[in-house]
Amino acid sequence: FQWIILVLIGTACRPGGTPIPPTPTLPPLNVTFELGGQVFSFTKPDLMKSAGMNWVKQQFVYRQQDEPDLVAPIIQEAHNKGFKILLNVVGDVNQMAANPASYYTDFATFLRAVALFNPDAIQVWNEPNIDREWPAGNISGEAYTQMLKAAYPAIKAANATVLVVSAAPAPTGFFNGQCTANGCDDNIFLQQMVSAGAEAYLDCVGIHYNEGILPPDATSGDPRGNSSHYTRYYATMVDLYARAFPNKPLCFDELGYLSAEGYGPLPAGFEWADNVTAQNQADWLARAASLSKQGKR
């Protein structure tokens, strides 16, 4: 299944505060738009460029004792092929669970060394609001902000030009608007990050939108249960995140529409995308890019 990322660089110009439902009277976002794609093997740079992409996202899984030299070829390949690179660095949940405070320091030290290889952006972790990606019992926006507080100054001390992107939470209402030992809904997680002072330790707010089954212009009509939930629609996701961090730009590092066309049946748990075609996927991605470029919700 294929995903796309939109890298948006600009400032959300609106009054701040905690996330609240969207209103139709908000002014357009003031953004500079750039487009990229996530790759696992960087084999189609010409097609990416023909689609207007100038960024590439790749992920690196850090384990304690890893040498930062392991990351250098990833960065160099992107630059050699004419792309800026968003390097998403994640780590080992079990290693972190053994001693979170010590792990944050080790992780920040690693990111500092990575920054010396001149990536264009480093994203600090991935979906830290769920127990697949963060130790159960220690999941909160405050805990993640402690990681950011270690990582951000370390990266900037090594290379002030590197854009630091916060981890995008998993977009979910699974936890019924709360935080539990096993995870937090992303709206609550964002509020906790704000309260913990995360805004001072990021340049761009990471955001995922990957469960859509309607065009990105839609703001209602999702046929699934809880059809009014903000995660169902591109516009309400953008609004929620930009309201949480009104003085920071948003960076989509995952924006996609799932389609099984050409691949066979979807696995269990993903039946919600059964009716999305490859043509839908293409049209909706293009429209999402257009809306993002215009700074519209």
Side-chain angles (χ1 to χ4, degrees):
F1 312 118
Q2 298 182 7
W3 304 95
I4 197 167
I5 63 161
L6 303 177
V7 182
L8 311 182
I9 302 174
T11 303
C13 298
R14 60 184 124 197
T18 56
I20 58 176
T23 68
T25 58
L26 292 172
L29 295 174
N30 176 21
V31 300
T32 299
F33 171 83
E34 295 187 74
L35 177 67
Q38 180 170 348
V39 302
F40 299 99
S41 58
F42 202 175
T43 57
K44 303 291 183 183
D46 292 341
L47 288 177
M48 293 174 68
K49 288 178 180 177
S50 70
M53 297 181 185
N54 64 332
W55 281 81
V56 63
K57 174 192 170 185
Q58 291 188 273
Q59 187 176 88
F60 180 84
V61 180
Y62 160 76
R63 293 180 176 83
Q64 286 171 310
Q65 311 307 320
D66 276 351
E67 294 294 332
D69 292 0
L70 294 170
V71 182
I74 300 172
I75 298 168
Q76 192 61 52
E77 181 184 29
H79 289 165
N80 287 346
K81 291 181 177 177
F83 288 83
K84 300 177 184 178
I85 182 166
L86 168 63
L87 187 67
N88 173 229
V89 185
V90 299
D92 187 299
V93 173
N94 294 323
Q95 288 183 346
M96 188 203 299
N99 188 331
S102 177
Y103 189 90
Y104 300 160
T105 300
D106 289 349
F107 191 64
T109 299
F110 181 79
L111 294 182
R112 179 187 179 113
V114 168
L116 294 172
F117 293 112
N118 295 313
D120 301 278
I122 293 176
Q123 185 170 36
V124 183
W125 215 263
N126 178 65
E127 298 192 341
N129 62 319
I130 55 176
D131 61 7
R132 185 177 66 243
E133 303 280 359
W134 198 268
N138 189 39
I139 299 172
S140 71
E142 181 179 4
Y144 173 67
T145 299
Q146 293 305 308
M147 174 177 277
L148 274 182
K149 286 181 176 180
Y152 185 86
I155 293 168
K156 294 296 187 179
N159 188 339
T161 67
V162 175
L163 186 78
V164 178
V165 182
S166 62
T172 181
F174 180 81
F175 302 100
N176 298 312
Q178 300 180 37
C179 255
T180 73
N182 297 105
C184 302
D185 283 2
D186 52 324
N187 60 340
I188 304 301
F189 193 86
L190 289 173
Q191 291 176 35
Q192 292 173 342
M193 286 178 62
V194 171
S195 296
E199 183 169 342
Y201 300 95
L202 59 90
D203 298 318
C204 194
V205 180
I207 176 173
H208 287 175
Y209 176 65
N210 49 27
E211 65 164 83
I213 58 173
L214 293 172
D217 301 274
T219 56
S220 63
D222 191 296
R224 292 170 287 186
N226 201 8
S227 66
S228 63
H229 197 262
Y230 60 90
T231 62
R232 301 298 196 213
Y233 309 102
Y234 165 86
T236 49
M237 282 291 296
V238 169
D239 194 82
L240 177 81
Y241 280 63
R243 283 180 178 273
F245 290 95
N247 300 311
K248 296 291 184 179
L250 305 181
C251 290
F252 279 96
D253 67 292
E254 286 186 19
L255 194 160
Y257 296 89
L258 180 61
S259 175
E261 188 173 339
Y263 291 94
L266 289 167
F270 292 89
E271 298 88 350
W272 47 268
D274 277 342
N275 295 323
V276 178
T277 67
Q279 189 63 55
N280 290 150
Q281 186 186 64
D283 292 343
W284 297 348
L285 285 171
R287 182 58 180 157
S290 178
L291 290 172
S292 297
K293 189 173 183 177
Q294 296 170 43
K296 292 185 177 180
R297 300 161 187 85

